[in-house]
Amino acid sequence: MKLDATTPVVVSGGGSGLGAAVAQYFMAQGISVGVIDLNVDAVPDNALCAQADISQADQVSAALSRLRAEQGQERLCVNCAGIAPSAKTVSRGAAHDPALFAKVIQVNLTGTFNVASQSALGMSTLDPLDDGERGVIINTASIAAFEGQMGQIAYAASKGGVAAMTLPMARDMAKLGVRIMAIAPGVFLTPMVSTMPQEVQDALAGISEFPKRLGDPQEFARLVETIATNTMLNGEVIRLDAGTRMQAK
Ligand code: NAD
């Protein structure tokens, strides 16, 4: 798909980190971007925004309607909203809090499903572009989907779900010309990571093969653009991790 002023974009989680980088990247090219976020205080200037909790399907529906009324039906939907609390299976004599586990699944997995499925429905109503393509949906998994670390049982389960739904969703939407992809980032320098102690950040930067540094959110945005513009990419999860393979501690 060629991205230009006629191809509006929706970004969930566009108020911070990877999502904000994606929103700014496309707005700098004159493309209209609508952001869905729980926290709208930090949404980049010039982005349309609609406050919603993505774990609530009715809020997602209302937010998408508001954005579409202003910028039209999105051709590209990028799902970045997510949370990453840490807790072990058993800790200090207590089992993992089931409410915390459910919350992480509800936001990261069900929330991604809510936005992606409702965006897919909207895209299915559009006229096809060249190649019969109607739209592209890019979800954000994590390398924790494949090598979850200690304390990441809930997060890894949620991101494993995001990775696993990529192919069946791509198959579901194939006849309608909507592509579904996921990106599994390694460690990127966003508020989710920059709030960790410096020694933890340094250790994380050292575990990649090359380059030995944290990812720049701009590099995530550039992969989003590549996926959106290369029609042969479909039904796949792409690791963006400088060769990182998380080891046991
Ligand atoms: P971030 O905390 O900087 O941004 C996340 C955004 O999601 C925030 O603006 C937050 O308000 C929003 N959000 C959270 N819960 C929400 C909800 N229920 N409804 C709507 N919005 C909600 O995080 P980030 O580092 O930019 O991460 C973005 C995505 O990338 C997340 O899904 C994260 O799991 C994934 N990821 C990040 C890294 C990394 O190293 N930063 C690595 C792998 C995967």
Side-chain angles (χ1 to χ4, degrees), residues 156-225:
S158 71
K159 295 300 186 177
V162 171
M165 68 187 185
T166 310
L167 182 60
M169 196 172 173
R171 288 176 166 165
D172 286 346
M173 296 305 297
K175 282 209 172 88
L176 290 159
V178 177
R179 291 186 290 122
I180 317 295
M181 288 288 293
I183 300 174
V187 189
F188 277 67
L189 192 54
T190 69
M192 197 178 261
V193 173
S194 62
T195 47
M196 295 176 180
Q198 189 58 49
E199 61 269 25
V200 175
Q201 292 184 47
D202 293 345
L204 288 170
I207 57 176
S208 51
E209 292 299 331
F210 176 81
K212 282 210 177 295
R213 61 169 172 77
L214 302 179
D216 178 343
Q218 277 279 316
E219 292 166 321
F220 179 89
R222 278 164 42 209
L223 180 56
V224 166
E225 181 181 48

Side-chain angles (χ1 to χ4, degrees), residues 16-18 37-38 52-54 80-81 140-141 155 159 186 188 190 192:
S16 177
L18 301 182
D37 205 300
L38 199 54
D53 177 347
I54 60 159
C80 294
T140 307
Y155 184 72
K159 295 300 186 177
F188 277 67
T190 69
M192 197 178 261

Side-chain angles (χ1 to χ4, degrees), residues 2 5 28 44 99 110 114 149 168 224 229:
K2 189 170 169 296
T110 308
N114 286 337
Q149 293 295 288
V224 166
T229 55

